[in-house]
Amino acid sequence: MPHDPLLARIIPVLTDVPGVAAIVLGGSRARGTAHDASDTDLGLYYRDNAAPDIDRLRAAVTGLVDDRTAAHVTAVGEWGPWIVGGAWLAIGGYKVDLLYRSIDQVTMVIDACRNGEISMHYQPGHPHGFCSAIWMGEVALCRALHDPDGLVAALKAKTAPYPPALRDALVRRFQWEVLFAIENAELALPRGDSTHIAGCAYRALACIAQVLFALNGQYLINEKGALAQAANFPVTVRGLAGRVAEVWRQIGATEHAAAMQTLRELESDVRDICSGVSEQP
């Protein structure tokens, strides 16, 4: 990848922290879709029997950050079992986020995903929840910056090609919930319960994104922007972006019944796509 002065400054410091077995670049910068104000997301991979030395990590980043009092470095596990932990930093005027990941646990999750076994978890910051397949997607989409033992490379080899069993599991897990969420919203129409209706609409749309990503063999690692990305997939719903915008316009105008009708039409189109895919030899 092109020389990046910010990474050239950060990576040698992080590699000296005991327990940091590999470092990857994630997010939009790894995918080549970043803009000038985009965060720099760095994954710090470690072995379960040799977790990062957080005191050493905190001391290391103190020499990098713009404001030592604003640097926040967590313990492993402080952000829960799926986000795990990390740091929020500002370095050279740029926002840099560190995320911890266990090589051992990610390996187990990837193996499960390849076998069609996924799970969904409540997680602040992920309104639809944290799907275990996100960890596999992170590996698939990241760029290794420091991988002396080939740990990340070995994981990456398991992510391509996209596993058919994972595709089938995601479609099976999320397709049925689209209509279920719509029907739950419709129960709230007589009460005019806008919050519940909007929440159900969000779930329906998030499930549509999951299904379309799976059908296209694409890893969904964050709900943000997922539907806009799905609108450009080869296998997608006609006019997806505009129809999603119409759902939210209708909800904003308290045209709840119309919004549910728009969602039902989207659900029908997604169901037709899934049926067509399953009928292919």
Side-chain angles (χ1 to χ4, degrees):
M1 62 182 295
H3 176 73
D4 185 316
L6 180 65
L7 294 178
R9 179 183 172 193
I10 297 171
I11 302 307
V13 174
L14 296 180
T15 59
D16 283 341
V17 175
V20 175
I23 304 172
V24 306
L25 178 66
S28 59
R29 294 199 181 277
R31 298 192 298 273
T33 59
H35 50 78
D36 288 344
S38 294
D39 299 349
T40 295
D41 298 318
L42 297 175
L44 307 186
Y45 283 77
Y46 63 91
R47 291 287 197 184
D48 279 346
N49 62 358
D53 184 323
I54 301 304
D55 289 337
R56 288 281 296 275
L57 176 62
R58 187 175 291 111
V61 302
T62 297
L64 294 171
V65 295
D66 300 337
D67 180 358
R68 296 183 180 187
T69 64
H72 180 67
V73 181
T74 80
V76 173
E78 187 170 322
W79 288 343
W82 292 97
I83 301 299
V84 186
W88 297 328
L89 311 171
I91 300 174
Y94 292 95
K95 184 179 178 184
V96 178
D97 295 336
L98 308 183
L99 283 175
Y100 310 145
R101 291 290 184 265
S102 160
I103 286 282
D104 305 287
Q105 293 176 41
V106 171
T107 298
M108 289 189 292
V109 166
I110 289 177
D111 289 342
C113 288
R114 287 167 55 87
N115 289 328
E117 302 165 12
I118 58 170
S119 56
M120 196 71 170
H121 307 268
Y122 176 83
Q123 177 63 55
H126 285 264
H128 189 224
F130 195 99
C131 183
S132 59
I134 288 174
W135 276 3
M136 187 172 187
E138 288 176 344
V139 171
L141 299 174
C142 77
R143 295 185 183 180
L145 302 176
H146 172 73
D147 189 26
D149 299 321
L151 300 174
V152 173
L155 289 179
K156 265 189 171 293
K158 296 184 175 186
T159 67
Y162 189 96
L166 176 60
R167 176 199 62 204
D168 294 346
L170 288 167
V171 172
R172 187 167 56 248
R173 170 64 181 80
F174 292 109
Q175 185 197 346
W176 71 271
E177 191 185 341
V178 180
L179 182 57
F180 183 78
I182 295 168
E183 290 173 340
N184 269 283
E186 289 172 340
L187 292 174
L189 292 181
R191 304 192 304 273
D193 189 344
S194 297
T195 300
H196 184 72
I197 291 167
C200 290
Y202 176 82
R203 288 197 68 88
L205 291 170
C207 287
I208 287 174
Q210 288 280 4
V211 170
L212 291 175
F213 268 72
L215 292 176
N216 285 274
Q218 298 291 322
Y219 291 102
L220 194 161
I221 62 172
N222 198 301
E223 304 99 319
K224 292 185 294 186
L227 284 165
Q229 187 177 348
N232 295 312
F233 286 158
V235 179
T236 193
V237 174
R238 172 187 52 82
L240 177 61
R243 293 163 77 181
V244 170
E246 179 63 6
V247 169
W248 293 116
R249 186 201 67 77
Q250 291 167 328
I251 289 177
T254 65
E255 299 169 5
H256 295 146
M260 292 308 104
Q261 180 57 37
T262 303
L263 279 172
R264 278 187 170 272
E265 292 166 1
L266 280 169
E267 187 276 333
S268 177
D269 286 354
V270 170
R271 187 161 16 98
D272 288 344
I273 291 172
C274 290
S275 297
V277 169
S278 64
E279 290 170 3
Q280 292 179 4

